[in-house]
Amino acid sequence: MERTTVLITGCSSGIGLGLAARLAADSTRRFKVYATMRDLAKGERLLEHLGSHCPDTLEVLQLDVTDPHSLAAAVQRVQEQRLDVLVCNAGVGLMGPLETCSDQAMKTLFDVNFFGAVRTIQAFLPAMKRCRAGRIIVSSSIGGLQGLPFNAVYCASKFAVEGLCESLAIVLRPFNIHVTLVECGPVHTSFLANLQCPDPEGSELEGLDAETRGLYRRYLRHCQSLFRDTAQEVEDVLPVFLEAIVSLCPPLRCASTQLLAPLWRLRLGSPDGSAYVRAMHDFVFGGSEVSGDQP
């Protein structure tokens, strides 16, 4: 049986690591996986998931989605065989009041989350077009569908990814190339630990108005309870990616959670946006219009 060749970015941890391990360890050996990451030293984690041995279904490659030379090297490595599935999973986060987000932090976030996805797709798309077949699966977020408080820049990057993929999907129909966005909610990964997030009591918020500092504290408490009570495990999210890989006709969008589905429907049903803004404010900040916690 001919194997399905899959290349995944961002495999050093979380969903990328879990998906690479699941596919490479498939009992039918139907997948050949290129698991890529910026820092190859973190590849040991993936090998541990596979029992400290590297089967012939897995190859770990260095790939930094912000580096065109790194991408070109990866393309050259896999060009000898057809790439059936490209999974753009590399991503970073940025949380906090907008006034605290530096130009450099915002540029870095977009360079990975948006331009990284663009570069990766650009690198592998020509070969897929020549074969007139392929799947492009992109890790998105519920933050790509609706604005989330204190995640303005992160949501902006994911909104951009959503627009990119929806536009691309239209053009790629004649080439039999399917584009799928997997919109995840809170997931227990190292993403949160690696998130750029100012300490509400730290010097980064000096000069910020007291009301916004109070709202930010309340938001962080909301996040803690949300992750504690509703966050998914990586293993719960992987079936959504697997379905997009094996489905004959995968959808443009699929969600790993229905956590914010009522708010998403409200957003769609209220074209002027005002109902969604009120509802999200109430959901996060407890339904009070009173100022946030005072310092």
Side-chain angles (χ1 to χ4, degrees):
M1 180 178 65
E2 186 177 356
R3 287 179 179 170
T4 298
T5 304
V6 184
L7 185 140
I8 310 168
T9 66
C11 289
S12 61
S13 63
I15 292 171
L17 184 149
L19 182 61
R22 173 75 68 87
L23 294 174
D26 181 76
S27 60
T28 63
R29 305 174 71 80
R30 56 184 164 152
F31 300 105
K32 166 66 176 183
V33 182
Y34 290 96
T36 77
M37 59 196 70
R38 183 177 58 85
D39 182 3
L40 278 182
K42 296 181 179 179
E44 291 301 318
R45 234 184 263 176
L46 180 55
L47 300 183
E48 288 171 9
H49 268 60
L50 294 167
S52 299
H53 69 278
C54 184
D56 63 358
T57 54
L58 175 72
E59 185 170 336
V60 179
L61 293 179
Q62 195 279 336
L63 197 163
D64 180 351
V65 299
T66 69
D67 181 357
H69 298 293
S70 175
L71 268 164
V75 170
Q76 186 172 11
R77 177 65 190 87
V78 304
Q79 67 181 355
E80 295 178 1
Q81 56 186 309
R82 186 177 79 176
L83 180 62
D84 300 297
V85 183
L86 173 64
V87 182
C88 297
N89 173 70
V92 294
L94 178 64
M95 180 193 292
L98 185 64
E99 300 95 313
T100 69
C101 298
S102 68
D103 279 1
Q104 186 56 54
M106 292 188 286
K107 288 175 181 176
T108 297
L109 179 110
F110 265 83
D111 200 25
V112 176
N113 290 4
F114 177 69
F115 291 108
V118 171
R119 291 187 197 98
T120 305
I121 293 170
Q122 285 177 325
F124 292 99
L125 185 57
M128 284 187 168
K129 281 184 169 180
R130 287 194 295 271
C131 292
R132 303 192 76 83
R135 309 286 174 91
I136 299 171
I137 301 171
V138 180
S139 290
S140 187
S141 166
I142 55 177
L145 296 173
Q146 51 208 103
L148 305 174
F150 296 111
N151 281 273
V153 181
Y154 175 75
C155 287
S157 73
K158 291 300 184 179
F159 267 60
V161 167
E162 292 272 334
L164 168 76
C165 292
E166 185 171 290
S167 301
L168 191 59
I170 299 167
V171 176
L172 295 182
R173 274 181 60 87
F175 294 92
N176 191 34
I177 299 172
H178 298 276
V179 180
T180 298
L181 290 148
V182 179
E183 290 140 349
C184 299
V187 181
H188 287 300
T189 68
S190 59
F191 180 85
L192 196 61
N194 297 331
L195 184 68
Q196 293 187 62
C197 176
D199 182 344
E201 311 305 330
S203 60
E204 292 174 278
L205 298 192
E206 286 182 6
L208 187 69
D209 64 277
E211 188 171 349
T212 302
R213 285 203 307 272
L215 289 169
Y216 182 50
R217 291 191 193 99
R218 291 169 70 181
Y219 176 71
L220 291 179
R221 291 198 295 269
H222 170 82
C223 283
Q224 289 172 351
S225 63
L226 201 66
F227 267 83
R228 183 184 64 245
D229 300 334
T230 65
Q232 295 177 290
E233 300 298 333
V234 169
E235 291 300 314
D236 299 326
V237 174
L238 295 185
V240 184
F241 284 86
L242 294 170
E243 180 63 23
I245 289 172
V246 303
S247 174
L248 291 177
C249 188
L252 172 63
R253 291 185 172 88
C254 47
S256 73
T257 177
Q258 294 300 308
L259 176 64
L260 295 184
L263 286 167
W264 167 239
R265 288 193 290 269
L266 180 63
R267 185 175 182 272
L268 293 176
S270 177
D272 73 357
S274 56
Y276 172 75
V277 170
R278 286 194 300 270
M280 179 57 83
H281 181 278
D282 292 349
F283 174 65
V284 173
F285 301 114
S288 173
E289 294 295 335
V290 180
S291 298
D293 297 348
Q294 295 302 308

